[in-house]
């Protein structure tokens, strides 16, 4: 009865999803509601202009060719398609996979210099180093301000990243063989195999041979696969769960496919739990409708068993199986729901809607980056499948999976657009599969005019390779220059054995690091740095450092927290981007005092970023090269006293701006004298 009801509702569901996608992806809601940045508005306007003129010209030319020489085009198309289908399936897939792997390796070098480019992956690589050493956490350093970084948690004298353990564990395997940057290309190539297998089960061999290369040339998948991001490994396990689910429909598979589905969803949950939960709801409903309670029970049991390592990891690191590192670091505001977010902003249903609309708008551009809207074939698939019972079943499943993650993230306070709308990366596989279904369905529906489509699609691919891909790759290769640096190579070339390397950073990094060093909460730091000018933060920290030994660390921290609360409430006029470090705010109602001006002058001589080197440290800070944040001669000397037998280097730019390359400079050993505020090795931050 439930299956019959689903079949009757199928057309309405597909039509509703199609309308929803059009409303979200094609209309500039963020601009209309005043949420879009000027750059986003201009970029979308330029994209629509390209769709209208270049895309319109291609459609017009394709239509003329279809009218004049349509039969010849169709004959040529059929001959090429026939030859492609003559290639053994395993050979065809192997070639696509090898091209994907080679392309990923090339792009990870050309675009990212084999380095992580987001603080998320830097924290996860740090965790991977802990795992590689055979531990779950590492002893937290006493002088934490020299070594801390965003998304790093200190709890009960241990430090670790805020992220679930799945992706760091896979990166640890890459570290073991010396190629952590290879994990992304490998799992991206593996996803292509699964895309082919799912497409073959749902649509047949011909569409499957279109789906594999279409996923390969999606710039969203292409660039993300060349990165260190955990979206890639999550996408692989979600695609594996999808393949297992459609395989489980065949009763001859027994319960093996159902068990594989549960295990794959559990693996995805150890990486990105929210996407896994959203897909579990859809795939679980699908399995229940197609195979009944027995297979569903097997899948659920295996999934729960597969999640035990995640729950155990949480229990060891955060103290509770269901508490994640995110919550421990940022508080309850990090969770789902409409409330004040961890950065101190109210998160409302309107914010959730705008974030979702912006993500769909971006996906409509970067899914394929042809001179047409990327989701146009997806919409066509949904509308045409609504009237074709034979194609409806798979389309309903894929449409549910396509919307699963966006609906979950509707209640999440943050969005990000790194290499694409990355919170929609879980929707990438169903989006490509639905696009293939749409191309096939439109080809059938056009009749004698199908030759126009058979010209327009290759023309769109040629435009991507000739225009869009070089432009996008060039932009990626030219940004985040400091993320591409390899200080470890320069240290190795220096011939020094295990030096202590101070990395000169900007004023903002120094302030945030010192606040972290005193144990100020991540939420309080975020709000303080956004609402208070840098000079007042500097003076509050200097005052805390100056208190004599009669004060305990807890007393000093409480006094500092009170001072920061007071400063946030004052609401002084501040402005950013005025200083060499544009992240630091300036009080525009007064001149910059002399002691703060010295900090500005220090930045004017050049600085770089420390976060890119955090993960290269031994987590216990004992062996190998140690990279520390440069906090000035007086504080640096305290750290040097911890490592008296090492050489000391400074990694810094010697001229303003980010055009010059940082250099390694020798630092003299400090005069050995006790400091009244030095911290003993055992006095770690608690």
């Amino acid at each position: 009865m439930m299956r019959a009801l689903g079949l009757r509702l199928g057309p309405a569901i597909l039509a509703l999803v199609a309308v929803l996608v059009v409303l979200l992806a094609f209309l500039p809601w963020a601009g209309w509601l005043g949420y879009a940045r000027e750059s986003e508005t201009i970029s979308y306007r330029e994209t629509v202009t390209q769709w209208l003129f270049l895309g319109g010209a291609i459609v017009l030319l394709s239509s003329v060719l279809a009218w004049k020489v349509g039969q010849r085009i169709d004959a040529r198309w059929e001959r090429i398609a026939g030859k492609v289908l003559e290639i053994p399936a395993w050979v065809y897939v192997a070639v696509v996979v090898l091209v994907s792997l080679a392309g990923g390796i090339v792009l990870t070098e050309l675009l990212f210099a084999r380095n992580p480019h987001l603080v998320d992956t830097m924290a996860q690589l740090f965790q991977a180093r802990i795992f590689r050493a055979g531990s779950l956490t590492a002893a937290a350093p006493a002088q934490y301000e020299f070594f801390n970084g965003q998304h790093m948690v200190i709890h009960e004298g241990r430090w670790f990243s805020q992220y679930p353990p799945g992706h760091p564990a896979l990166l640890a395997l890459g570290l073991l063989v010396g190629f952590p940057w290879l994990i992304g290309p490998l799992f991206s190539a593996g996803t292509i195999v699964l895309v082919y297998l799912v497409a073959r089960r749902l649509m047949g061999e011909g569409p499957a041979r279109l789906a594999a290369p279409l996923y390969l040339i999606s710039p969203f998948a292409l660039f993300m696969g060349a990165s260190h991001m955990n979206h890639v490994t999550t996408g692989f396990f979600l695609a594996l769960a999808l393949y297992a689910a459609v395989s489980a429909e065949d009763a001859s598979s027994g319960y093996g496919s159902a068990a594989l589905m549960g295990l794959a969803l559990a693996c995805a949950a150890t990486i990105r739990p929210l996407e896994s939960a959203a897909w579990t709801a859809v795939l679980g409903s699908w399995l229940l409708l197609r195979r009944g309670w027995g297979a569903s029970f097997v899948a659920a049991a295996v999934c729960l068993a597969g999640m035990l390592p995640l729950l155990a990891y949480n229990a060891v690191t955060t103290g509770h199986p269901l508490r994640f590192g995110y919550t421990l670091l940022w508080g309850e505001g990090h969770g789902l729901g409409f409330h004040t977010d961890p950065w101190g902003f109210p998160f409302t249903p309107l914010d959730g809607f705008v974030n979702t609309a912006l993500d769909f708008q971006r996906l409509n551009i970067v899914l394929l980056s042809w001179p047409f809207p990327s989701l146009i074939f997806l919409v066509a698939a949904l509308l045409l499948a609504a009237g074709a019972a034979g194609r409806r079943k798979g389309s309903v499943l894929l449409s549910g999976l396509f919307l699963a993650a966006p609906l979950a993230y509707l209640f999440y306070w943050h969005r990000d657009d790194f290499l694409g709308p990355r919170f929609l990366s879980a929707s990438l596989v169903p989006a490509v599969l639905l696009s293939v279904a749409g191309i096939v369905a439109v080809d059938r529906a056009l009749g004698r005019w199908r030759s126009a489509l058979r010209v327009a699609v290759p023309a769109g691919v040629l435009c991507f390779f000739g225009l869009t891909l070089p432009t996008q790759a060039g932009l990626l290769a030219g940004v985040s220059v400091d993320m591409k640096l390899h200080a470890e190579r320069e240290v190795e070339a220096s011939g020094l054995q295990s030096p202590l390397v101070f990395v000169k950073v900007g004023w903002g990094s120094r302030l945030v690091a010192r606040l972290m060093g005193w144990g100020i909460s991540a939420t309080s730091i975020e709000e303080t740095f956004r609402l208070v000018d840098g000079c007042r933060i500097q003076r509050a920290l200097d005052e805390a450092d100056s208190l004599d030994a009669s004060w305990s660390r807890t007393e000093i921290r409480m006094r500092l927290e009170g001072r920061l609360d007071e400063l946030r409430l004052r609401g002084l006029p501040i402005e950013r981007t005025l200083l060499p470090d544009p992240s630091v705010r300036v009080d525009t109602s007064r001149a910059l005092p002399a002691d703060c001006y010295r900090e500005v002058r220090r930045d004017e001589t050049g600085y770089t970023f420390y976060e890119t080197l955090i993960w290269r440290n031994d987590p216990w800070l004992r062996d190998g090269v140690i990279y520390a944040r440069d906090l000035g001669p007086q504080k640096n000397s305290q750290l040097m006293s911890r490592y008296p037998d090492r050489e000391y280097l400074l990694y810094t730019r010697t001229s303003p701006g980010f055009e010059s390359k940082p250099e390694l400079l020798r630092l003299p050993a400090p005069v050995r004298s006790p400091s009244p505020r030095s911290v003993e090795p055992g006095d770690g931050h608690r």
Side-chain angles (χ1 to χ4, degrees), residues 423-619:
F423 290 163
L424 296 193
S425 61
S427 299
L428 183 54
V429 167
V432 168
L433 292 171
L434 283 170
S435 296
V436 170
I439 292 172
V440 173
V442 171
D443 184 78
R444 291 171 179 165
L446 286 177
R448 67 176 296 271
W449 288 97
R450 66 169 56 96
S451 52
L453 177 70
R454 295 174 174 184
V455 172
V457 168
V461 174
L462 288 175
C463 285
F464 167 67
F465 279 107
L467 299 175
T468 313
L469 179 60
T471 301
Q472 292 181 348
L475 289 173
L476 281 174
V479 299
S480 303
V481 176
D482 274 35
M483 302 296 179
K484 299 177 174 63
L485 298 174
H486 283 274
E488 77 283 357
R489 296 176 184 172
E490 298 176 44
V491 172
E492 183 179 356
S494 71
L496 298 178
Q497 297 299 316
S498 302
L500 174 59
V501 181
F502 290 96
V503 181
K504 187 181 176 188
V505 296
W507 191 13
S509 178
R510 300 194 295 273
L511 293 174
V512 170
R514 292 174 66 188
L515 289 169
M516 287 183 178
W518 278 112
I520 306 301
S521 71
T523 297
S524 179
I525 291 174
E526 185 68 37
E527 292 186 28
T528 298
F529 201 64
R530 176 168 47 84
L531 298 174
V532 182
D533 66 291
C535 191
R536 286 184 171 85
I537 299 174
Q538 174 84 25
R539 288 186 166 180
L541 285 164
D542 289 344
E543 179 185 326
D545 289 346
S546 69
L547 295 176
D548 60 45
S550 65
W551 292 72
S552 70
R553 282 190 63 87
T554 301
E555 290 173 328
I556 297 174
R557 185 181 70 247
M558 293 177 62
R559 179 187 175 99
L560 178 59
E561 286 174 341
R563 179 63 176 148
L564 297 177
D565 290 341
E566 175 190 332
L567 290 173
R568 289 196 298 270
L569 291 173
R570 293 181 65 178
L572 294 168
I574 55 173
E575 191 171 343
R576 63 181 299 179
T577 73
L578 298 178
L579 301 180
D581 182 348
S583 68
V584 181
R585 272 71 171 178
V586 179
D587 180 357
T588 56
S589 66
R590 66 170 187 172
L592 198 65
D595 55 339
C596 297
Y597 186 61
R598 283 196 297 270
E599 300 294 330
V600 174
R601 289 293 303 271
R602 183 178 176 189
D603 286 356
E604 286 177 345
T605 59
Y607 63 91
T608 185
F609 299 116
Y610 173 68
E611 284 73 9
T612 57
L613 295 167
I614 288 175
W615 69 276
R616 296 194 181 277
N617 278 334
D618 164 31

Side-chain angles (χ1 to χ4, degrees), residues 593-653:
D595 55 339
C596 297
Y597 186 61
R598 283 196 297 270
E599 300 294 330
V600 174
R601 289 293 303 271
R602 183 178 176 189
D603 286 356
E604 286 177 345
T605 59
Y607 63 91
T608 185
F609 299 116
Y610 173 68
E611 284 73 9
T612 57
L613 295 167
I614 288 175
W615 69 276
R616 296 194 181 277
N617 278 334
D618 164 31
W620 287 264
L621 302 172
R622 296 175 306 206
D623 304 322
V625 180
I626 293 178
Y627 298 95
R629 189 179 278 104
D630 171 25
L631 295 178
Q634 183 177 357
K635 283 187 168 294
N636 290 356
S637 64
Q638 297 174 18
L639 187 63
M640 290 176 179
S641 67
R642 291 277 308 278
Y643 300 97
D645 299 326
R646 292 180 179 246
E647 299 282 347
Y648 308 115
L649 298 175
L650 178 66
Y651 187 62
T652 180
R653 284 187 167 84

Side-chain angles (χ1 to χ4, degrees), residues 164-186:
H167 189 65
L170 295 171
L171 292 174
L173 296 177
L175 287 172
L176 280 173
V177 297
F179 306 113
W181 49 266
L182 192 56
I183 296 298
L186 278 174

Side-chain angles (χ1 to χ4, degrees), residues 27-55:
L27 301 179
W29 291 103
W32 290 345
L33 296 171
Y35 276 70
R37 294 189 294 268
E38 183 180 3
S39 59
E40 292 174 324
T41 302
I42 294 173
S43 175
Y44 188 64
R45 187 183 302 127
E46 292 173 348
T47 299
V48 172
T49 301
Q50 183 189 59
W51 289 344
L52 292 174
F53 286 92
L54 182 55

Side-chain angles (χ1 to χ4, degrees), residues 300-331:
V302 172
C303 185
L304 289 174
M307 289 181 62
L308 289 178
L310 171 63
L311 301 179
Y313 175 81
N314 285 346
V316 170
T317 55
T318 70
H320 193 284
L322 299 180
R323 183 190 297 126
F324 287 88
Y326 316 110
T327 306
L328 187 62
L329 181 63
W330 294 99

